[in-house]
Amino acid sequence: MINIENLIYSYPNQQHAALNGVSLNIPAGEFVLLTGTSGAGKSTLLRALSGLVPHFSGGRISGGISVDGRDPIAGGPQQLSQTVGFVFQNPEAQTIVDQVESEIAFALENAAIAPAEMRVRVEEVLQLLELAPLRDRALHTLSGGERQRVAIAAALALRPRVLALDEPTSQLDPQSAADVLHALVRLNEDLGLTIVLAEHRLERVLRYAERVVALEHGRVVADGYTPEVLEQMPQLPPLATLARRLSWSPLPVTVKEGLNFARRLQPGRPVGQDCNLVQRCDGAGPTTAGRGPQVLKAEGIRFAYGRKPALNGVDLQVGEGEAVVLMGRNGSGKTTLLRCRVGLLQAQNGTIEVAGRAIKGRSVADICRDVAYLPQESDDLLFSETV
């Protein structure tokens, strides 16, 4: 399905090659995981499969690529769009319209799919990725994770033969990530879809991928079936890292596999059942160290996107010196609460104070002299060409 021979690529005005002599053969129906540190070349390789490199990004390229008999270098994205479905790390980079169902249908309309067939395909991917309850929602009201699932659905609607995904679970909570990965596994196993997925969070994906390709400085440093290639990988998920230090072999991929080794450490003790796997050393509860004067205060905060409530009477106080984590599933209101705190969204009820001063009536620029806000998408905060 995919054949890459000695691929070398450099971005414009860059001396170092982003891909440096990559050669790969991926048969139809394989589920391949691309791994490596940031800047290793994962995203560039995925973009080369769809023709975005070099047609969109420019630069210098040599070597050869073939995807289902097509040449992305010669043909570009317009010829590869129905062969390779591409899902960006940032879902906002590939959305066109502002409504879930219309966004999924957009590519089908451009491909001149018949209306009856279009309705079938849209409904199919809505159900597959559990997006049916969101079908009429505006995209700007969705959480980052929900938008990522819409992007995947839009790519799948064209029924490509290859699905290339650039860290598709980076904005998803654990349950949503598992749902997406299970859907990908079904597509791979039931339809024979070839999947090439780049991901940092290996503990999420390793159990599903049958093959792993590790990149470093634009070169392939490890390539093989998952159990065999773990020992060669420069980066490992936490469980396999622990297993390597304890000299377990073969390295476990899942907790279930790890338990078989763990039972040998304490013979006769039922690991994972009645023994405490997580304990505080001192037996104390949550620490309150460092909690000083109140610096952030929210009372009765309510906010809704149209008729969809996002915050329903939230109270929260933060003391000086505290480190506070907001946790919850995608769409639970975490980002909405942060945006309300800096004035990017106006709470419809309730009050917010920063350092004893209410934010109501103040500009975002004024509030952000006291509160630094880092959005989910770093590009929203970057304005210049160089660091």
Side-chain angles (χ1 to χ4, degrees):
M1 177 61 69
I2 299 171
N3 182 48
I4 303 173
E5 294 183 0
N6 195 33
L7 184 64
I8 301 173
Y9 173 74
S10 299
Y11 284 99
N13 304 317
Q14 296 295 314
Q15 294 181 349
H16 300 290
L19 298 174
N20 195 355
V22 173
S23 295
L24 285 173
N25 288 289
I26 299 176
E30 272 200 334
F31 191 137
V32 179
L33 168 63
L34 293 181
T35 183
T37 57
S38 296
K42 305 184 299 298
S43 298
T44 304
L45 182 56
L46 291 178
R47 290 167 182 256
L49 296 179
S50 61
L52 290 171
V53 164
H55 288 265
F56 181 78
S57 56
R60 305 184 308 277
I61 193 166
S62 63
I65 315 176
S66 172
V67 181
D68 195 26
R70 298 174 181 267
D71 184 351
I73 298 175
Q78 60 268 43
Q79 290 190 18
L80 271 293
S81 60
Q82 293 190 51
T83 301
V84 180
F86 189 88
V87 179
F88 291 82
Q89 184 176 4
N90 174 8
E92 293 184 6
Q94 66 186 95
T95 53
I96 307 297
V97 295
D98 193 40
Q99 194 253 2
V100 171
E101 191 169 27
S102 298
E103 173 65 25
I104 296 172
F106 183 81
L108 300 175
E109 293 170 337
N110 279 272
I113 303 298
E117 172 68 10
M118 192 185 305
R119 284 191 288 272
V120 169
R121 293 197 191 188
V122 170
E123 195 63 38
E124 185 180 75
V125 295
L126 284 171
Q127 297 298 327
L128 180 66
L129 292 168
E130 299 181 357
L131 291 168
L134 305 179
R135 67 193 312 152
D136 297 321
R137 288 271 299 276
L139 291 183
H140 74 270
T141 69
L142 302 182
S143 70
E146 290 167 337
R147 293 192 68 154
Q148 187 65 284
R149 285 157 58 200
V150 173
I152 294 172
L156 289 176
L158 279 170
R159 294 181 180 171
R161 298 202 62 193
V162 176
L163 189 60
L165 305 105
D166 191 358
E167 299 192 39
T169 70
S170 62
Q171 298 187 36
L172 303 183
D173 62 63
Q175 184 58 53
S176 297
D179 292 342
V180 167
L181 290 168
H182 289 152
L184 294 177
V185 169
R186 289 199 304 272
L187 290 165
N188 175 250
E189 293 181 348
D190 298 344
L191 303 179
L193 185 67
T194 304
I195 295 176
V196 185
L197 184 153
E199 185 59 76
H200 276 296
R201 300 181 183 185
L202 301 182
E203 63 274 13
R204 286 183 173 181
V205 188
L206 270 178
R207 69 182 67 188
Y208 304 111
E210 57 188 306
R211 180 177 170 188
V212 177
V213 176
L215 295 173
E216 199 169 286
H217 303 301
R219 296 181 179 274
V220 175
V221 295
D223 178 14
Y225 291 106
T226 303
E228 303 166 358
V229 81
L230 283 180
E231 292 286 358
Q232 308 169 37
M233 290 172 54
Q235 283 188 310
L236 288 173
L239 175 61
T241 300
L242 171 66
R244 176 183 282 175
R245 293 183 181 181
L246 293 174
S247 300
W248 294 351
S249 182
L251 295 180
V253 173
T254 65
V255 172
K256 181 179 179 180
E257 294 172 359
L259 284 174
N260 293 327
F261 289 101
R263 290 189 178 96
R264 304 173 195 168
L265 299 178
Q266 294 176 306
R269 192 169 186 180
V271 173
Q273 296 175 21
D274 67 353
C275 64
N276 249 334
L277 297 180
V278 180
Q279 293 179 323
R280 293 185 60 85
C281 294
D282 56 5
T287 179
T288 56
R291 182 163 187 166
Q294 198 171 85
V295 292
L296 287 172
K297 180 181 179 181
E299 290 186 344
I301 301 302
R302 295 179 183 274
F303 186 88
Y305 295 97
R307 296 183 178 180
K308 175 70 175 177
L311 299 174
N312 194 7
V314 172
D315 297 327
L316 182 64
Q317 293 80 41
V318 179
E320 188 177 67
E322 274 195 303
V324 179
V325 178
L326 296 181
M327 297 182 67
R329 291 205 61 182
N330 294 125
S332 62
K334 304 182 297 298
T335 300
T336 302
L337 179 58
L338 291 179
R339 288 177 175 173
C340 285
R341 290 215 157 203
V342 295
L344 288 170
L345 296 174
Q346 298 295 321
Q348 290 147 358
N349 290 98
T351 59
I352 299 175
E353 295 181 2
V354 176
R357 184 182 173 193
I359 69 168
K360 187 174 182 180
R362 297 169 61 187
S363 67
V364 175
D366 185 33
I367 298 168
C368 285
R369 289 188 172 94
D370 298 317
V371 182
Y373 175 63
L374 181 65
Q376 190 169 14
E377 298 301 335
S378 56
D379 283 351
D380 291 346
L381 206 62
L382 302 177
F383 300 99
S384 299
E385 286 297 318
T386 66
V387 174

